[in-house]
mmCIF file of all heavy atoms in Angstrom:
data_model
loop_
_atom_site.group_PDB
_atom_site.id
_atom_site.type_symbol
_atom_site.label_atom_id
_atom_site.label_comp_id
_atom_site.label_asym_id
_atom_site.label_seq_id
_atom_site.Cartn_x
_atom_site.Cartn_y
_atom_site.Cartn_z
ATOM 1 N N GLY A 1 114.567 97.875 78.633
ATOM 2 C CA GLY A 1 114.147 99.248 78.423
ATOM 3 C C GLY A 1 112.987 99.725 79.265
ATOM 4 O O GLY A 1 112.494 100.834 79.075
ATOM 5 N N ARG A 2 112.510 98.895 80.209
ATOM 6 C CA ARG A 2 111.371 99.294 81.026
ATOM 7 C C ARG A 2 111.628 98.931 82.482
ATOM 8 O O ARG A 2 112.250 97.921 82.776
ATOM 9 C CB ARG A 2 110.102 98.589 80.552
ATOM 10 C CG ARG A 2 109.797 98.956 79.094
ATOM 11 C CD ARG A 2 108.529 98.338 78.613
ATOM 12 N NE ARG A 2 107.419 99.129 79.131
ATOM 13 C CZ ARG A 2 106.157 98.745 79.104
ATOM 14 N NH1 ARG A 2 105.834 97.564 78.613
ATOM 15 N NH2 ARG A 2 105.211 99.506 79.558
ATOM 16 N N GLU A 3 111.132 99.775 83.394
ATOM 17 C CA GLU A 3 111.261 99.485 84.818
ATOM 18 C C GLU A 3 110.373 98.310 85.180
ATOM 19 O O GLU A 3 109.328 98.090 84.583
ATOM 20 C CB GLU A 3 110.862 100.706 85.646
ATOM 21 C CG GLU A 3 111.805 101.888 85.490
ATOM 22 C CD GLU A 3 111.409 103.033 86.398
ATOM 23 O OE1 GLU A 3 110.937 102.759 87.529
ATOM 24 O OE2 GLU A 3 111.559 104.173 85.985
ATOM 25 N N ALA A 4 110.784 97.551 86.198
ATOM 26 C CA ALA A 4 110.038 96.365 86.613
ATOM 27 C C ALA A 4 108.620 96.693 87.090
ATOM 28 O O ALA A 4 107.724 95.860 86.995
ATOM 29 C CB ALA A 4 110.788 95.622 87.712
ATOM 30 N N LYS A 5 108.392 97.888 87.570
ATOM 31 C CA LYS A 5 107.058 98.244 88.067
ATOM 32 C C LYS A 5 106.119 98.756 86.958
ATOM 33 O O LYS A 5 104.973 99.031 87.199
ATOM 34 C CB LYS A 5 107.171 99.300 89.164
ATOM 35 C CG LYS A 5 107.766 100.612 88.694
ATOM 36 C CD LYS A 5 107.923 101.577 89.846
ATOM 37 C CE LYS A 5 108.559 102.872 89.330
ATOM 38 N NZ LYS A 5 108.753 103.822 90.408
ATOM 39 N N THR A 6 106.612 98.849 85.734
ATOM 40 C CA THR A 6 105.810 99.324 84.621
ATOM 41 C C THR A 6 104.759 98.287 84.227
ATOM 42 O O THR A 6 105.059 97.115 84.115
ATOM 43 C CB THR A 6 106.700 99.634 83.397
ATOM 44 O OG1 THR A 6 107.710 100.565 83.794
ATOM 45 C CG2 THR A 6 105.894 100.212 82.268
ATOM 46 N N LYS A 7 103.537 98.758 83.992
ATOM 47 C CA LYS A 7 102.476 97.850 83.564
ATOM 48 C C LYS A 7 102.649 97.509 82.083
ATOM 49 O O LYS A 7 102.938 98.366 81.262
ATOM 50 C CB LYS A 7 101.105 98.475 83.745
ATOM 51 C CG LYS A 7 100.588 98.478 85.140
ATOM 52 C CD LYS A 7 99.163 99.001 85.148
ATOM 53 C CE LYS A 7 98.642 99.154 86.550
ATOM 54 N NZ LYS A 7 97.269 99.732 86.547
ATOM 55 N N SER A 8 102.448 96.262 81.777
ATOM 56 C CA SER A 8 102.329 95.781 80.411
ATOM 57 C C SER A 8 100.942 95.150 80.318
ATOM 58 O O SER A 8 100.222 95.088 81.322
ATOM 59 C CB SER A 8 103.422 94.757 80.092
ATOM 60 O OG SER A 8 104.696 95.357 80.183
ATOM 61 N N TYR A 9 100.584 94.643 79.152
ATOM 62 C CA TYR A 9 99.221 94.135 78.993
ATOM 63 C C TYR A 9 99.175 92.819 78.225
ATOM 64 O O TYR A 9 99.907 92.629 77.269
ATOM 65 C CB TYR A 9 98.328 95.183 78.315
ATOM 66 C CG TYR A 9 98.182 96.386 79.197
ATOM 67 C CD1 TYR A 9 99.106 97.413 79.158
ATOM 68 C CD2 TYR A 9 97.157 96.451 80.132
ATOM 69 C CE1 TYR A 9 98.993 98.502 80.011
ATOM 70 C CE2 TYR A 9 97.037 97.527 80.991
ATOM 71 C CZ TYR A 9 97.961 98.555 80.918
ATOM 72 O OH TYR A 9 97.860 99.611 81.779
ATOM 73 N N MET A 10 98.304 91.949 78.669
ATOM 74 C CA MET A 10 98.036 90.691 77.999
ATOM 75 C C MET A 10 96.654 90.792 77.382
ATOM 76 O O MET A 10 95.659 90.979 78.082
ATOM 77 C CB MET A 10 98.104 89.508 78.978
ATOM 78 C CG MET A 10 98.119 88.180 78.310
ATOM 79 S SD MET A 10 99.600 87.837 77.342
ATOM 80 C CE MET A 10 100.840 87.710 78.618
ATOM 81 N N TRP A 11 96.629 90.719 76.061
ATOM 82 C CA TRP A 11 95.369 90.739 75.316
ATOM 83 C C TRP A 11 94.946 89.280 75.120
ATOM 84 O O TRP A 11 95.734 88.478 74.643
ATOM 85 C CB TRP A 11 95.553 91.439 73.984
ATOM 86 C CG TRP A 11 95.850 92.904 74.149
ATOM 87 C CD1 TRP A 11 97.048 93.464 74.496
ATOM 88 C CD2 TRP A 11 94.935 93.971 74.024
ATOM 89 N NE1 TRP A 11 96.938 94.817 74.582
ATOM 90 C CE2 TRP A 11 95.636 95.172 74.289
ATOM 91 C CE3 TRP A 11 93.585 94.051 73.697
ATOM 92 C CZ2 TRP A 11 95.032 96.411 74.238
ATOM 93 C CZ3 TRP A 11 92.985 95.296 73.654
ATOM 94 C CH2 TRP A 11 93.694 96.464 73.920
ATOM 95 N N LEU A 12 93.739 88.973 75.508
ATOM 96 C CA LEU A 12 93.244 87.590 75.444
ATOM 97 C C LEU A 12 92.087 87.496 74.460
ATOM 98 O O LEU A 12 91.192 88.334 74.470
ATOM 99 C CB LEU A 12 92.770 87.128 76.826
ATOM 100 C CG LEU A 12 93.781 87.267 77.943
ATOM 101 C CD1 LEU A 12 93.123 87.117 79.296
ATOM 102 C CD2 LEU A 12 94.874 86.243 77.774
ATOM 103 N N TYR A 13 92.140 86.487 73.636
ATOM 104 C CA TYR A 13 91.083 86.239 72.655
ATOM 105 C C TYR A 13 90.659 84.784 72.792
ATOM 106 O O TYR A 13 91.503 83.886 72.798
ATOM 107 C CB TYR A 13 91.584 86.499 71.238
ATOM 108 C CG TYR A 13 92.136 87.891 71.056
ATOM 109 C CD1 TYR A 13 93.501 88.117 71.123
ATOM 110 C CD2 TYR A 13 91.297 88.965 70.836
ATOM 111 C CE1 TYR A 13 94.016 89.398 70.981
ATOM 112 C CE2 TYR A 13 91.799 90.251 70.681
ATOM 113 C CZ TYR A 13 93.170 90.454 70.755
ATOM 114 O OH TYR A 13 93.678 91.719 70.613
ATOM 115 N N GLN A 14 89.343 84.538 72.880
ATOM 116 C CA GLN A 14 88.830 83.182 73.000
ATOM 117 C C GLN A 14 87.720 82.969 71.992
ATOM 118 O O GLN A 14 86.793 83.762 71.900
ATOM 119 C CB GLN A 14 88.274 82.923 74.400
ATOM 120 C CG GLN A 14 87.667 81.522 74.523
ATOM 121 C CD GLN A 14 87.188 81.217 75.919
ATOM 122 O OE1 GLN A 14 87.859 81.513 76.884
ATOM 123 N NE2 GLN A 14 86.020 80.618 76.015
ATOM 124 N N THR A 15 87.847 81.885 71.235
ATOM 125 C CA THR A 15 86.784 81.551 70.286
ATOM 126 C C THR A 15 85.583 81.034 71.073
ATOM 127 O O THR A 15 85.724 80.528 72.177
ATOM 128 C CB THR A 15 87.241 80.482 69.294
ATOM 129 O OG1 THR A 15 87.613 79.294 70.009
ATOM 130 C CG2 THR A 15 88.414 80.960 68.461
ATOM 131 N N GLY A 16 84.424 81.161 70.499
ATOM 132 C CA GLY A 16 83.199 80.716 71.153
ATOM 133 C C GLY A 16 83.131 79.212 71.250
ATOM 134 O O GLY A 16 83.749 78.473 70.488
ATOM 135 N N SER A 17 82.402 78.741 72.225
ATOM 136 C CA SER A 17 82.198 77.309 72.378
ATOM 137 C C SER A 17 80.882 76.922 71.713
ATOM 138 O O SER A 17 80.129 77.758 71.275
ATOM 139 C CB SER A 17 82.170 76.938 73.863
ATOM 140 O OG SER A 17 81.142 77.642 74.514
ATOM 141 N N GLY A 18 80.628 75.665 71.666
ATOM 142 C CA GLY A 18 79.379 75.188 71.094
ATOM 143 C C GLY A 18 79.529 74.599 69.706
ATOM 144 O O GLY A 18 78.613 73.996 69.199
ATOM 145 N N GLY A 19 80.675 74.773 69.086
ATOM 146 C CA GLY A 19 80.907 74.191 67.777
ATOM 147 C C GLY A 19 81.463 72.787 67.901
ATOM 148 O O GLY A 19 81.417 72.175 68.966
ATOM 149 N N THR A 20 81.997 72.288 66.828
ATOM 150 C CA THR A 20 82.556 70.943 66.855
ATOM 151 C C THR A 20 83.970 70.913 67.409
ATOM 152 O O THR A 20 84.471 69.852 67.766
ATOM 153 C CB THR A 20 82.571 70.349 65.433
ATOM 154 O OG1 THR A 20 83.332 71.215 64.583
ATOM 155 C CG2 THR A 20 81.165 70.212 64.899
ATOM 156 N N SER A 21 84.609 72.064 67.509
ATOM 157 C CA SER A 21 85.969 72.139 68.054
ATOM 158 C C SER A 21 85.938 72.788 69.438
ATOM 159 O O SER A 21 85.075 73.625 69.719
ATOM 160 C CB SER A 21 86.858 72.989 67.142
ATOM 161 O OG SER A 21 86.915 72.436 65.863
ATOM 162 N N PRO A 22 86.885 72.431 70.297
ATOM 163 C CA PRO A 22 86.947 73.096 71.597
ATOM 164 C C PRO A 22 87.388 74.557 71.420
ATOM 165 O O PRO A 22 88.011 74.891 70.416
ATOM 166 C CB PRO A 22 88.001 72.288 72.361
ATOM 167 C CG PRO A 22 88.799 71.607 71.313
ATOM 168 C CD PRO A 22 87.901 71.405 70.136
ATOM 169 N N PRO A 23 87.055 75.413 72.370
ATOM 170 C CA PRO A 23 87.457 76.820 72.276
ATOM 171 C C PRO A 23 88.982 76.942 72.237
ATOM 172 O O PRO A 23 89.691 76.135 72.818
ATOM 173 C CB PRO A 23 86.913 77.455 73.551
ATOM 174 C CG PRO A 23 85.938 76.489 74.111
ATOM 175 C CD PRO A 23 86.290 75.145 73.579
ATOM 176 N N ALA A 24 89.453 77.947 71.543
ATOM 177 C CA ALA A 24 90.883 78.257 71.510
ATOM 178 C C ALA A 24 91.087 79.580 72.231
ATOM 179 O O ALA A 24 90.281 80.509 72.095
ATOM 180 C CB ALA A 24 91.368 78.373 70.063
ATOM 181 N N ILE A 25 92.171 79.653 73.006
ATOM 182 C CA ILE A 25 92.508 80.890 73.721
ATOM 183 C C ILE A 25 93.873 81.355 73.233
ATOM 184 O O ILE A 25 94.823 80.581 73.220
ATOM 185 C CB ILE A 25 92.522 80.666 75.247
ATOM 186 C CG1 ILE A 25 91.162 80.174 75.716
ATOM 187 C CG2 ILE A 25 92.897 81.964 75.945
ATOM 188 C CD1 ILE A 25 91.122 79.756 77.161
ATOM 189 N N ILE A 26 93.943 82.615 72.852
ATOM 190 C CA ILE A 26 95.180 83.213 72.366
ATOM 191 C C ILE A 26 95.595 84.317 73.317
ATOM 192 O O ILE A 26 94.790 85.164 73.692
ATOM 193 C CB ILE A 26 94.992 83.776 70.940
ATOM 194 C CG1 ILE A 26 94.617 82.632 69.999
ATOM 195 C CG2 ILE A 26 96.237 84.507 70.477
ATOM 196 C CD1 ILE A 26 94.092 83.094 68.674
ATOM 197 N N TYR A 27 96.857 84.296 73.730
ATOM 198 C CA TYR A 27 97.430 85.312 74.603
ATOM 199 C C TYR A 27 98.371 86.169 73.756
ATOM 200 O O TYR A 27 99.300 85.657 73.148
ATOM 201 C CB TYR A 27 98.225 84.670 75.735
ATOM 202 C CG TYR A 27 97.373 83.812 76.655
ATOM 203 C CD1 TYR A 27 97.074 82.491 76.340
ATOM 204 C CD2 TYR A 27 96.885 84.348 77.849
ATOM 205 C CE1 TYR A 27 96.295 81.709 77.186
ATOM 206 C CE2 TYR A 27 96.111 83.566 78.690
ATOM 207 C CZ TYR A 27 95.819 82.254 78.351
ATOM 208 O OH TYR A 27 95.057 81.490 79.169
ATOM 209 N N ASP A 28 98.123 87.470 73.718
ATOM 210 C CA ASP A 28 98.924 88.383 72.916
ATOM 211 C C ASP A 28 99.513 89.463 73.824
ATOM 212 O O ASP A 28 98.819 90.391 74.218
ATOM 213 C CB ASP A 28 98.046 89.016 71.827
ATOM 214 C CG ASP A 28 98.803 89.954 70.912
ATOM 215 O OD1 ASP A 28 99.992 89.712 70.640
ATOM 216 O OD2 ASP A 28 98.195 90.934 70.456
ATOM 217 N N TYR A 29 100.804 89.328 74.140
ATOM 218 C CA TYR A 29 101.480 90.301 75.012
ATOM 219 C C TYR A 29 101.766 91.577 74.248
ATOM 220 O O TYR A 29 102.247 91.546 73.116
ATOM 221 C CB TYR A 29 102.797 89.723 75.543
ATOM 222 C CG TYR A 29 103.632 90.800 76.189
ATOM 223 C CD1 TYR A 29 103.367 91.227 77.474
ATOM 224 C CD2 TYR A 29 104.649 91.427 75.479
ATOM 225 C CE1 TYR A 29 104.099 92.244 78.052
ATOM 226 C CE2 TYR A 29 105.391 92.447 76.044
ATOM 227 C CZ TYR A 29 105.110 92.851 77.326
ATOM 228 O OH TYR A 29 105.820 93.859 77.889
ATOM 229 N N GLN A 30 101.472 92.713 74.883
ATOM 230 C CA GLN A 30 101.790 94.018 74.317
ATOM 231 C C GLN A 30 102.250 94.946 75.435
ATOM 232 O O GLN A 30 101.787 94.834 76.572
ATOM 233 C CB GLN A 30 100.572 94.627 73.608
ATOM 234 C CG GLN A 30 100.083 93.830 72.425
ATOM 235 C CD GLN A 30 101.092 93.791 71.273
ATOM 236 O OE1 GLN A 30 102.019 94.583 71.194
ATOM 237 N NE2 GLN A 30 100.901 92.833 70.375
ATOM 238 N N PRO A 31 103.147 95.874 75.151
ATOM 239 C CA PRO A 31 103.652 96.751 76.200
ATOM 240 C C PRO A 31 102.698 97.868 76.608
ATOM 241 O O PRO A 31 102.896 98.506 77.629
ATOM 242 C CB PRO A 31 104.924 97.337 75.587
ATOM 243 C CG PRO A 31 104.704 97.272 74.113
ATOM 244 C CD PRO A 31 103.853 96.043 73.892
ATOM 245 N N TRP A 32 101.652 98.125 75.828
ATOM 246 C CA TRP A 32 100.737 99.225 76.125
ATOM 247 C C TRP A 32 99.285 98.768 76.021
ATOM 248 O O TRP A 32 98.988 97.752 75.411
ATOM 249 C CB TRP A 32 100.969 100.389 75.164
ATOM 250 C CG TRP A 32 102.406 100.753 75.017
ATOM 251 C CD1 TRP A 32 103.191 100.530 73.917
ATOM 252 C CD2 TRP A 32 103.247 101.351 75.979
ATOM 253 N NE1 TRP A 32 104.462 100.965 74.151
ATOM 254 C CE2 TRP A 32 104.537 101.477 75.417
ATOM 255 C CE3 TRP A 32 103.053 101.799 77.275
ATOM 256 C CZ2 TRP A 32 105.601 102.028 76.102
ATOM 257 C CZ3 TRP A 32 104.140 102.349 77.955
ATOM 258 C CH2 TRP A 32 105.379 102.468 77.363
ATOM 259 N N ARG A 33 98.401 99.587 76.551
ATOM 260 C CA ARG A 33 96.959 99.318 76.473
ATOM 261 C C ARG A 33 96.350 100.277 75.450
ATOM 262 O O ARG A 33 95.865 101.346 75.797
ATOM 263 C CB ARG A 33 96.301 99.506 77.834
ATOM 264 C CG ARG A 33 94.833 99.110 77.841
ATOM 265 C CD ARG A 33 94.244 99.298 79.222
ATOM 266 N NE ARG A 33 92.911 98.744 79.278
ATOM 267 C CZ ARG A 33 91.884 99.342 79.837
ATOM 268 N NH1 ARG A 33 92.036 100.527 80.394
ATOM 269 N NH2 ARG A 33 90.714 98.765 79.865
ATOM 270 N N SER A 34 96.401 99.898 74.222
ATOM 271 C CA SER A 34 95.854 100.708 73.136
ATOM 272 C C SER A 34 94.937 99.831 72.289
ATOM 273 O O SER A 34 95.294 98.710 71.940
ATOM 274 C CB SER A 34 96.987 101.250 72.266
ATOM 275 O OG SER A 34 96.484 101.784 71.055
ATOM 276 N N GLY A 35 93.792 100.378 71.933
ATOM 277 C CA GLY A 35 92.869 99.656 71.083
ATOM 278 C C GLY A 35 93.444 99.320 69.713
ATOM 279 O O GLY A 35 92.938 98.457 69.007
ATOM 280 N N LEU A 36 94.542 99.970 69.347
ATOM 281 C CA LEU A 36 95.190 99.665 68.075
ATOM 282 C C LEU A 36 95.710 98.229 68.031
ATOM 283 O O LEU A 36 95.743 97.619 66.969
ATOM 284 C CB LEU A 36 96.328 100.639 67.784
ATOM 285 C CG LEU A 36 95.909 102.064 67.444
ATOM 286 C CD1 LEU A 36 97.127 102.969 67.301
ATOM 287 C CD2 LEU A 36 95.089 102.075 66.163
ATOM 288 N N TYR A 37 96.097 97.695 69.187
ATOM 289 C CA TYR A 37 96.554 96.300 69.219
ATOM 290 C C TYR A 37 95.409 95.348 68.846
ATOM 291 O O TYR A 37 95.594 94.433 68.044
ATOM 292 C CB TYR A 37 97.124 95.920 70.576
ATOM 293 C CG TYR A 37 98.392 96.662 70.903
ATOM 294 C CD1 TYR A 37 98.471 97.485 72.010
ATOM 295 C CD2 TYR A 37 99.520 96.523 70.114
ATOM 296 C CE1 TYR A 37 99.649 98.174 72.312
ATOM 297 C CE2 TYR A 37 100.701 97.201 70.407
ATOM 298 C CZ TYR A 37 100.747 98.019 71.507
ATOM 299 O OH TYR A 37 101.904 98.694 71.799
ATOM 300 N N ALA A 38 94.246 95.577 69.434
ATOM 301 C CA ALA A 38 93.084 94.747 69.093
ATOM 302 C C ALA A 38 92.699 94.962 67.633
ATOM 303 O O ALA A 38 92.387 93.993 66.927
ATOM 304 C CB ALA A 38 91.914 95.078 70.015
ATOM 305 N N LYS A 39 92.716 96.180 67.179
ATOM 306 C CA LYS A 39 92.365 96.468 65.792
ATOM 307 C C LYS A 39 93.296 95.739 64.837
ATOM 308 O O LYS A 39 92.846 95.108 63.872
ATOM 309 C CB LYS A 39 92.442 97.972 65.538
ATOM 310 C CG LYS A 39 92.107 98.354 64.119
ATOM 311 C CD LYS A 39 92.223 99.849 63.914
ATOM 312 C CE LYS A 39 91.907 100.212 62.465
ATOM 313 N NZ LYS A 39 91.980 101.662 62.255
ATOM 314 N N ASN A 40 94.592 95.806 65.079
ATOM 315 C CA ASN A 40 95.561 95.134 64.203
ATOM 316 C C ASN A 40 95.447 93.622 64.291
ATOM 317 O O ASN A 40 95.505 92.934 63.270
ATOM 318 C CB ASN A 40 96.982 95.573 64.540
ATOM 319 C CG ASN A 40 97.240 97.019 64.164
ATOM 320 O OD1 ASN A 40 96.580 97.570 63.286
ATOM 321 N ND2 ASN A 40 98.173 97.645 64.826
ATOM 322 N N TYR A 41 95.283 93.101 65.514
ATOM 323 C CA TYR A 41 95.214 91.650 65.680
ATOM 324 C C TYR A 41 93.960 91.074 65.023
ATOM 325 O O TYR A 41 93.971 89.990 64.454
ATOM 326 C CB TYR A 41 95.266 91.271 67.159
ATOM 327 C CG TYR A 41 95.527 89.818 67.349
ATOM 328 C CD1 TYR A 41 96.825 89.330 67.370
ATOM 329 C CD2 TYR A 41 94.481 88.907 67.438
ATOM 330 C CE1 TYR A 41 97.073 87.971 67.509
ATOM 331 C CE2 TYR A 41 94.715 87.558 67.573
ATOM 332 C CZ TYR A 41 96.014 87.101 67.606
ATOM 333 O OH TYR A 41 96.257 85.754 67.732
ATOM 334 N N LEU A 42 92.877 91.816 65.102
ATOM 335 C CA LEU A 42 91.588 91.323 64.606
ATOM 336 C C LEU A 42 91.241 91.853 63.215
ATOM 337 O O LEU A 42 90.080 91.764 62.795
ATOM 338 C CB LEU A 42 90.481 91.686 65.599
ATOM 339 C CG LEU A 42 90.632 91.061 66.990
ATOM 340 C CD1 LEU A 42 89.588 91.641 67.941
ATOM 341 C CD2 LEU A 42 90.537 89.547 66.916
#
């Protein structure tokens, strides 16, 4: 449903370092750049 030249967005979330666990990185693909994605995810 989308042309190959259409931009999509990868939302990246990384936990802080310095704790007892290594940082975790989460990649969340979304078709648009809207702050609603971050709001819903977080």
Side-chain angles (χ1 to χ4, degrees):
R2 300 183 78 192
E3 293 184 35
K5 63 183 179 181
T6 304
K7 282 186 186 177
S8 297
Y9 295 87
M10 192 67 68
W11 293 79
L12 305 166
Y13 304 98
Q14 177 177 316
T15 60
S17 59
T20 57
S21 300
I25 301 173
I26 298 167
Y27 297 84
D28 182 34
Y29 168 80
Q30 297 294 343
W32 312 109
R33 186 179 188 224
S34 167
L36 289 175
Y37 294 120
K39 179 181 179 179
N40 291 335
Y41 194 87
L42 297 173

